[in-house]
Amino acid sequence: MITVLLFAQLQEDAGTDQLELNIDEINVRELKERLQSDYNLSKLDQVMVAVNEEYALDDDVIKKGDTVAIIPPVSGG
Amino acid sequence: MITVLLFAQLQEDAGTDQLELNIDEINVRELKERLQSDYNLSKLDQVMVAVNEEYALDDDVIKKGDTVAIIPPVSGG
Amino acid sequence: MTQEFFQISDEPIQVDEIVKKVESRDAGAITTFIGTVREWTKGKRTLYLEYQAYKPMAIKMLTTIGKEIQTKWPNTEVAITHRVGRLDISDIAVVIAVSSPHRKAAYEANEYAIERIKQIVPIWKKEHWENGETWLGDQLENVPYPEGKPHIKE
Amino acid sequence: MTQEFFQISDEPIQVDEIVKKVESRDAGAITTFIGTVREWTKGKRTLYLEYQAYKPMAIKMLTTIGKEIQTKWPNTEVAITHRVGRLDISDIAVVIAVSSPHRKAAYEANEYAIERIKQIVPIWKKEHWENGETWLGDQLENVPYPEGKPHIKE
């Protein structure tokens, strides 16, 4: 299982703040594509992805047990 | 009478924080010269002079009743 | 560091407490930035805000910003607390305190901190306007990730 | 202005009180500068400081700086308190608070204020070093009056 955390507008779009995906291994780009098609989450071209609380790049690999956060453009401060 | 206020090192050099000068009218440049010769205050080339709490220029005239402050380079902050 | 210099809090922020964390006998200058909730933005009235954070990662990123600052401006100390939850007009959303032996570094490092917060710290602001609500981030404020990426992983 | 925004005080300065003076529903940013007594300066150890002010004129000049800032950076609010008397290491000598709708102005205006204080406000600092004492002003810090004159009377 891979845990996916959602925030802000994405959380409201998905109707949940957390998804559990039954995946063993996937890279960041593929995960974004899957979220886009399976959960109807748009605007994923603008998001960053963090794996286990570290920003990750499109080719980075996510493995089961990882926690992935989908990070839309931040607006703190 | 003209009241002359002294601060910081000048106050210590003169041994007082205030002088009363029996003068009717004098300009700033002349007052500095007189303080230098009569009260042995050195380094008056670096000071600013304020008349009634406003910075004054060398040619500005001081009249009796005025309060003059001799302002060495400031070091607040 | 026994104190927590980088915090996400759902309680009101006390400025004095953040300042205390960076006080030092070697510091001649402390700057603080206090971000507060403004009522009017470009003619639109805000009623209140809601901040959401990915808390553990937000703390990690604040800590990263602190380390970046201490590398760029040696002998500085940095403390940052960001609030989450509902905030009303004039409430404090963030306090950044930087101490330094000299003032120039204290100003520069402080401004650097708020710029970096707006780039890399996973916190989001939802504006509740007079007539509607929006999660901010892309449209209204900055270009997101002006450097393309948050510039963390080298 | 019913509050006193520009003060010379012989009591310890409370940062929160100065910040409160500039708070506003229109402000999104408040910056503060806190000048504290540093122990070490270029390898010399300070034991304590003594600040002296020409009080009525110092308040007048602080007020002038506030007006200059409001002209240069519209919609800002400024409050400054400078302490006088004996100050020990880490004591606060000056607090400058600036509020503004936007942060850039709050940083710039704050830094402008401390630069101007060091140019035109009649306050003097006597350093009590480990082995001696000096009134500062010309030798050790800045060139006095870099513009030739304090640039007050036009």
Side-chain angles (χ1 to χ4, degrees), chain C residues 15-16 19 24-40 89-90 101-104 107 110-111 114-115 118, chain D residues 15-16 19 24-40 89-90 101-104 107 110-111 114-115 118:
Chain C
V15 176
D16 276 351
V19 170
S24 145
R25 296 174 71 85
D26 298 329
I30 300 172
T31 52
T32 68
F33 175 82
I34 304 166
T36 57
V37 179
R38 192 177 54 217
E39 184 165 21
W40 293 94
I89 306 302
S90 287
H102 302 285
R103 69 182 182 281
K104 193 76 193 165
Y107 281 111
N110 199 303
E111 194 166 3
I114 184 68
E115 299 297 336
K118 288 173 179 289
Chain D
V15 176
D16 276 351
V19 170
S24 143
R25 297 173 70 86
D26 299 328
I30 300 172
T31 52
T32 68
F33 175 82
I34 304 165
T36 57
V37 179
R38 193 177 55 219
E39 184 165 21
W40 293 94
I89 306 302
S90 287
H102 301 287
R103 68 182 182 281
K104 194 75 194 165
Y107 281 111
N110 199 303
E111 193 165 4
I114 184 68
E115 300 298 335
K118 287 173 180 289

Side-chain angles (χ1 to χ4, degrees), chain B residues 6-16 39-43:
Chain B
L6 301 173
F7 298 95
Q9 189 61 46
L10 292 176
Q11 189 176 98
E12 296 190 6
D13 290 348
T16 178
Y39 297 88
N40 200 26
L41 295 178
S42 57
K43 290 196 199 162

Side-chain angles (χ1 to χ4, degrees), chain B residues 17-60:
Chain B
D17 59 0
Q18 190 165 333
L19 305 169
E20 300 289 340
L21 304 186
N22 201 351
I23 297 173
D24 275 353
E25 191 172 307
I26 192 170
N27 76 21
V28 167
R29 185 184 300 103
E30 293 159 352
L31 176 71
K32 285 201 279 191
E33 284 163 8
R34 186 169 310 191
L35 290 172
Q36 201 141 7
S37 62
D38 292 7
Y39 297 88
N40 200 26
L41 295 178
S42 57
K43 290 196 199 162
L44 287 192
D45 49 323
Q46 290 217 354
V47 304
M48 286 299 300
V49 171
V51 179
N52 302 326
E53 301 172 12
E54 298 285 354
Y55 283 109
L57 302 177
D58 272 352
D59 291 329
D60 286 342

Side-chain angles (χ1 to χ4, degrees), chain D residues 58-75:
Chain D
I59 293 171
K60 223 173 191 175
M61 291 298 115
L62 291 176
T63 309
T64 297
I65 292 170
K67 283 183 195 145
E68 290 174 2
I69 286 173
Q70 291 184 314
T71 303
K72 283 175 185 282
W73 293 277
N75 304 313

Side-chain angles (χ1 to χ4, degrees), chain B residues 5-12 32 43 46-48 50 52-58 60 67-77, chain D residues 51-54 56-57 60-61 82 93-94 114 117-126 135-139 144-145 149-150 152-153:
Chain B
L5 306 177
L6 301 173
F7 298 95
Q9 189 61 46
L10 292 176
Q11 189 176 98
E12 296 190 6
K32 285 201 279 191
K43 290 196 199 162
Q46 290 217 354
V47 304
M48 286 299 300
N52 302 326
E53 301 172 12
E54 298 285 354
Y55 283 109
L57 302 177
D58 272 352
D60 286 342
T67 296
V68 178
I70 311 299
I71 310 219
V74 302
S75 50
Chain D
Y51 279 98
Q52 187 181 76
Y54 177 22
M57 185 170 166
K60 223 173 191 175
M61 291 298 115
H82 201 299
V94 61
I114 184 68
I117 287 171
K118 287 173 180 289
Q119 288 170 9
I120 66 167
V121 181
I123 299 177
W124 300 271
K125 172 164 77 175
K126 188 175 193 174
W135 282 103
L136 293 191
D138 37 4
Q139 314 93 332
Y145 310 131
K149 296 284 172 188
I152 274 296
K153 219 166 179 179

